[in-house]
Amino acid sequence: MTTAFKESIKTALENDNLASTLGRFSEAYKVARTKAYEGIDFEALRNTIAEVKSFAASHQEELAEEFARNAEARGAKVFRANSPEAVKDYILNLCKEKAVRTIVKSKSMATEEIHLNASLQEHGIEVTETDLGEWILQLAGQRPSHMVMPAIHMRKEEVADIFSKEIEERLSSDIPRLVKVARAELREKFLAADMGITGANIAVAETGSIVLVTNEGNARLVTTLPKIHVAVVGLEKLVAKSEEIVPILTALPRSATNQLMTSYVSTITGAVPNLDGSPKELHIILMDNRRTEMAEDPKFKQALQCIRCASCLNVCPVFRLVGGHVFGKVYTGGIGTILTAWFDALKQSDEIQSLCIQCGNCSEVCPAKIDIPGLILELRRRLAVEQGQPMVQKAIFAVVNNRRAFHSLLRAASLAQLPFAREGFIRHLPLFLSDLTNSRSLPAVAERPFRDTIKEIKQPKCKEKAAFYAGCLVDFVYPEMGAAVVKILNKAGIEVIFPEKQTCCGAPARYSGAYEVAGQNARDNVDALLEEEVQYVVSACPTCTVALKEEFIHTFESLGQSEPIERARILAAKTFDFSSLVNKLVHDGRLKFKTDQHPGQVTYHDSCHLKRTLHAEKEPRELLTNAGYEITEMFEHDMCCGMGGSYTIKMPEISAPILKRKLNNIKATGAPMVAVDCPGCVMQIRGGLDKDRSPITVEHTAQRILEMLE
Ligand code: SF4
């Protein structure tokens, strides 16, 4: 990671205004979004959008030809441009031919993508952005930090300063007054402009129409007042039929600005007369810029489904801390990382992809159903293939890949830590390791791993057997969690075996793009866990469970290894996370809670993988409630705690404020204890509370309910 990138993160984090503005916005956004979608089946809606856009991506060329035919039949000129240069040349030649000196623009990410303004201005053409946010940024000489609200990072006082300079009059930060100034200034520009440039939110092939969605009405003025209108349209905006506008327009305003509909929706079909009756020139540029290549890529084709609503940014715990400028030049947030890798260059995404904590908040709200975290992992994989892994990482994974060496190292760590460990925590580390204990204490490695202590648990002999997959944290740090799981399953008449050859689930390697290492981990674990015939494979770690249920298969697919996939599927079918399996056993009457128990108040933190990938949200809550706990929900109970596997080590400066927010939300409940289903989250939250010297305790759900069962 370059110093410049680290510096840009540091600057963003030190900007209190940015964090508080984006933090408040993100909180309000989620509430307003839920309200905007009331009465709408979001899953059904996004399935429809994904289907419509996926069809369009698969038939991009046919739809582009159909669009061009129909638009030209209605008087438009359609130009197909493969590269940003071709788009810019076309517009510059048109300006020359028509003696265009002034242009007004409405907001368009496609023109931002190719840096159109700079190129026009270099040729002496005056360009004015007419979206209020874009105009503010143009005057300030800044670039957008958000796809929908480009100036969200700015305070009204800053805007007042910028406008004061522009009109040479001292203005206060009174918003209605500032808007009035903008309206007066921009009106002059609209009336004088020789050309209007827009993008398009949708392009309909069967009619050759473009659809524009705005709240300020500026796109209407841009497309009607000047005698020439140029629309720059990315190929991903194509849909086949008019009726397909409906699902997109149902989702776009709700997801983008929490509105049921934007103030203006304009559909332009062919050239329309100018105000003086003369024919208007309508030029539509269908821009490729690697979209065709993207449509042919089996993994990244789905990114073309994006409707640019930016809801993925609004819910991202990292974006709301650092804002958009850290993410690069044009597109921001998770989807921006992917688009930058394609529209700019894979290399450009090298650093920004590391901002993703893989919490999955973005894909949960994406109305186009894009697996943004999955695509970022694929970027990491391709970057690792193209550039190789960093030396340190390579050395670490070489050890992880060797089960015996890895486990010996962890055993050795329990001795090496002795000078630093107190009361089960390492609170301070020396020298270059000190960052690791700045925001939270680390857990001490257990004296004896679970693979040793399980042998001492007296288990009944049962016909039904479960293999326990511990994962590194339960095995070597929190063996007591493993013991609780074994004892609970024993109560249900299930004997638990511990396949000794199990090893790391490969998540750290996969998240770093080191798929060869993850593949070796997957093969070792599939072999180990299928060695003995069992009815269930259970894990008390959701990240590991996701690896066993889904990621081993994906890893083999990505590596082009078809042979181990069948066995990985057999393993996946038997694998359960702790809460889902135990809740099922309770429902089946195989486990019973003691009656009349009142263990007190608890708050529950949803781990990202458990909630968003395994969809187990109610199961742990049912277990805790049936055990007699009174659950007080914390604010943002399903927001990441900042752990993110090795993210907390690679990005401690971002992980720390995310954890701080989580701790504040926990403390605000007044609950004396937190239940969590993920040992990684236990490590992060318990460590943070220890650092704060808080008396609040944190335990795995298994530990919370063990004593409450008959
Ligand atoms: S990826 Fe999804 S959530 Fe993000 S901007 Fe695109 S459509 Fe919206």
Side-chain angles (χ1 to χ4, degrees):
M1 204 172 292
T2 60
T3 318
F5 184 59
K6 277 273 180 196
E7 203 47 49
S8 72
I9 295 174
K10 187 167 171 278
T11 308
L13 289 170
E14 284 169 358
N15 183 341
D16 292 341
N17 172 55
L18 188 69
S20 66
T21 307
L22 293 178
R24 275 198 312 274
F25 168 73
S26 160
E27 286 169 13
Y29 171 83
K30 277 191 254 172
V31 177
R33 181 186 170 276
T34 306
K35 198 163 165 30
Y37 272 106
E38 263 170 18
I40 295 213
D41 182 343
F42 180 66
E43 280 309 315
L45 177 65
R46 69 179 186 158
N47 280 334
T48 308
I49 294 172
E51 209 175 292
V52 163
K53 299 280 285 185
S54 171
F55 176 88
S58 304
H59 298 81
Q60 212 171 57
E61 186 51 36
E62 292 148 66
L63 294 185
E65 282 173 16
E66 189 185 346
F67 176 88
R69 246 190 342 267
N70 289 323
E72 283 177 347
R74 288 167 171 86
K77 286 189 184 143
V78 178
F79 176 66
R80 301 282 304 272
N82 285 334
S83 64
E85 287 65 39
V87 178
K88 290 186 270 195
D89 287 350
Y90 183 90
I91 298 175
L92 281 168
N93 286 337
L94 187 62
C95 289
K96 212 188 244 172
E97 191 190 315
K98 305 287 174 185
V100 170
R101 304 308 312 154
T102 57
I103 294 176
V104 281
K105 276 185 75 220
S106 77
K107 188 175 169 347
S108 151
M109 291 307 294
T111 59
E112 295 277 355
E113 180 185 319
I114 60 171
H115 311 294
L116 179 63
N117 288 9
S119 150
L120 292 168
Q121 282 158 348
E122 271 169 29
H123 287 80
I125 299 166
E126 182 194 301
V127 186
T128 307
E129 292 287 350
T130 63
D131 171 272
L132 181 57
E134 292 280 353
W135 189 56
I136 293 167
L137 295 180
Q138 190 181 27
L139 295 179
Q142 293 186 18
R143 54 194 166 83
S145 66
H146 188 280
M147 284 194 280
V148 172
M149 287 156 281
I152 192 171
H153 59 282
M154 286 184 120
R155 285 177 297 125
K156 58 183 184 187
E157 290 75 16
E158 290 174 77
V159 177
D161 287 347
I162 294 162
F163 281 14
S164 301
K165 213 160 141 198
E166 179 64 14
I167 65 167
E168 295 176 356
E169 179 192 328
R170 187 62 237 167
L171 295 167
S172 73
S173 57
D174 174 51
I175 292 175
R177 169 80 179 115
L178 294 175
V179 172
K180 217 168 173 179
V181 167
R183 187 174 286 133
E185 291 292 307
L186 289 173
R187 193 55 53 113
E188 296 297 318
K189 304 285 182 190
F190 284 123
L191 291 169
D194 302 317
M195 177 187 277
I197 296 181
T198 68
N201 294 94
I202 308 169
V204 185
E206 73 169 354
T207 56
S209 313
I210 56 169
V211 181
L212 290 160
V213 176
T214 69
N215 268 322
E216 295 165 21
N218 57 319
R220 288 216 173 150
L221 296 171
V222 168
T223 55
T224 50
L225 291 177
K227 292 192 171 169
I228 306 168
H229 170 203
V230 178
V232 182
V233 184
L235 286 177
E236 81 284 5
K237 296 295 163 66
L238 286 163
V239 296
K241 303 200 173 305
S242 299
E243 68 213 39
E244 291 168 353
I245 295 173
V246 178
I248 297 173
L249 286 192
T250 306
L252 184 54
R254 285 177 169 82
S255 288
T257 45
N258 307 140
Q259 292 168 288
L260 304 191
M261 188 49 73
T262 46
S263 307
Y264 301 88
V265 177
S266 310
T267 303
I268 298 172
T269 308
V272 289
N274 286 312
L275 296 178
D276 62 5
S278 63
K280 181 183 293 296
E281 278 193 37
L282 171 61
H283 298 255
I284 303 174
I285 303 174
L286 290 179
M287 180 170 81
D288 191 325
N289 194 21
R290 296 196 70 204
R291 286 159 173 83
T292 307
E293 214 182 308
M294 209 169 179
E296 283 161 6
D297 187 296
K299 295 266 188 204
F300 285 96
K301 180 185 152 203
Q302 61 169 307
L304 294 168
Q305 291 165 203
C306 177
I307 59 171
R308 308 279 191 268
C309 70
S311 52
C312 49
L313 278 58
N314 301 340
V315 298
C316 172
V318 178
F319 183 89
R320 77 178 180 185
L321 278 173
V322 300
H325 287 153
V326 171
F327 280 87
K329 291 198 179 72
V330 179
Y331 296 103
T332 56
I335 189 66
T337 306
I338 295 159
L339 298 179
T340 300
W342 277 84
F343 299 157
D344 216 328
L346 181 60
K347 179 83 189 77
Q348 294 294 326
S349 66
D350 184 13
E351 293 188 317
I352 52 174
Q353 56 73 25
S354 62
L355 291 166
C356 177
I357 197 167
Q358 291 283 311
C359 67
N361 269 295
C362 49
S363 49
E364 192 177 38
V365 298
C366 174
K369 219 177 172 182
I370 300 170
D371 176 14
I372 302 162
L375 293 183
I376 289 178
L377 284 189
E378 180 61 17
L379 279 184
R380 287 181 188 169
R381 188 187 73 77
R382 292 186 188 187
L383 279 161
V385 170
E386 198 175 288
Q387 305 174 352
Q389 290 172 54
M391 290 295 280
V392 177
Q393 188 172 298
K394 214 168 169 179
I396 293 170
F397 289 144
V399 177
V400 175
N401 228 357
N402 179 334
R403 179 175 59 83
R404 283 179 202 282
F406 180 46
H407 292 168
S408 304
L409 187 80
L410 289 169
R411 284 176 192 273
S414 78
L415 296 174
Q417 71 186 357
L418 286 177
F420 309 105
R422 300 273 179 286
E423 302 157 340
F425 287 105
I426 298 169
R427 297 195 171 102
H428 302 284
L429 281 171
L431 305 170
F432 62 93
L433 294 172
S434 63
D435 269 5
L436 298 177
T437 49
N438 268 352
S439 58
R440 46 114 177 78
S441 308
L442 288 172
V445 176
E447 269 176 43
R448 294 172 67 216
F450 185 60
R451 58 182 59 234
D452 291 354
T453 55
I454 186 175
K455 293 171 189 147
E456 290 152 20
I457 301 175
K458 287 194 175 46
Q459 295 198 56
K461 288 281 163 226
C462 307
K463 267 211 330 242
E464 242 182 332
K465 286 192 168 58
F468 183 66
Y469 180 77
C472 306
L473 277 179
V474 173
D475 199 356
F476 288 92
V477 180
Y478 301 124
E480 63 279 11
M481 290 179 192
V485 174
V486 172
K487 287 174 190 166
I488 290 169
L489 293 182
N490 286 171
K491 283 175 190 272
I494 299 169
E495 190 180 337
V496 181
I497 62 159
F498 187 95
E500 292 272 340
K501 290 182 190 156
Q502 62 180 275
T503 187
C504 171
C505 71
R510 199 166 41 253
Y511 289 170
S512 306
Y515 272 52
E516 291 292 343
V517 178
Q520 184 59 51
N521 290 151
R523 269 190 301 279
D524 289 348
N525 283 314
V526 171
D527 289 346
L529 296 167
L530 293 182
E531 201 169 50
E532 194 169 324
E533 183 57 35
V534 292
Q535 281 73 31
Y536 313 101
V537 174
V538 62
S539 174
C541 171
T543 306
C544 298
T545 312
V546 169
L548 271 58
K549 275 191 94 61
E550 298 185 6
E551 295 300 347
F552 289 176
I553 297 169
H554 294 162
T555 303
F556 293 139
E557 283 171 351
S558 293
L559 290 168
Q561 298 172 353
S562 52
E563 177 258 318
I565 290 183
E566 199 40 48
R567 278 168 58 75
R569 288 212 171 97
I570 295 171
L571 173 63
K574 290 182 177 196
T575 300
F576 290 84
D577 67 271
F578 165 80
S579 278
S580 297
L581 177 61
V582 172
N583 202 40
K584 180 181 173 320
L585 294 171
V586 172
H587 278 274
D588 292 349
R590 296 180 59 182
L591 282 171
K592 284 199 171 48
F593 285 101
K594 296 173 195 162
T595 50
D596 268 346
Q597 300 180 107
H598 305 286
Q601 190 191 8
V602 69
T603 187
Y604 184 78
H605 162 73
D606 293 272
S607 92
C608 298
H609 277 116
L610 190 70
K611 192 200 165 201
R612 297 196 184 87
T613 316
L614 299 170
H615 307 292
E617 190 177 4
K618 69 171 179 23
E619 288 80 355
R621 288 177 169 80
E622 272 186 25
L623 287 174
L624 291 163
T625 308
N626 288 333
Y629 287 99
E630 183 198 322
I631 301 180
T632 307
E633 294 288 358
M634 70 180 87
F635 180 60
E636 296 190 335
H637 51 77
D638 61 350
M639 195 48 116
C640 180
C641 64
M643 176 69 190
S646 51
Y647 193 91
T648 189
I649 297 167
K650 289 181 181 164
M651 292 283 191
E653 60 278 66
I654 296 178
S655 168
I658 296 177
L659 172 62
K660 193 169 172 210
R661 201 178 180 103
K662 175 60 66 179
L663 298 182
N664 288 341
N665 289 336
I666 288 171
K667 289 172 193 167
T669 64
M673 50 184 132
V674 190
V676 186
D677 268 51
C678 170
C681 302
V682 170
M683 171 178 152
Q684 176 86 340
I685 297 172
R686 196 186 272 175
L689 289 168
D690 179 73
K691 202 79 184 170
D692 284 359
R693 291 284 172 211
S694 165
I696 301 171
T697 56
V698 188
E699 276 186 344
H700 195 284
T701 304
Q703 295 168 279
R704 283 273 168 235
I705 65 166
L706 173 62
E707 297 306 323
M708 310 296 156
L709 286 161
E710 285 183 356

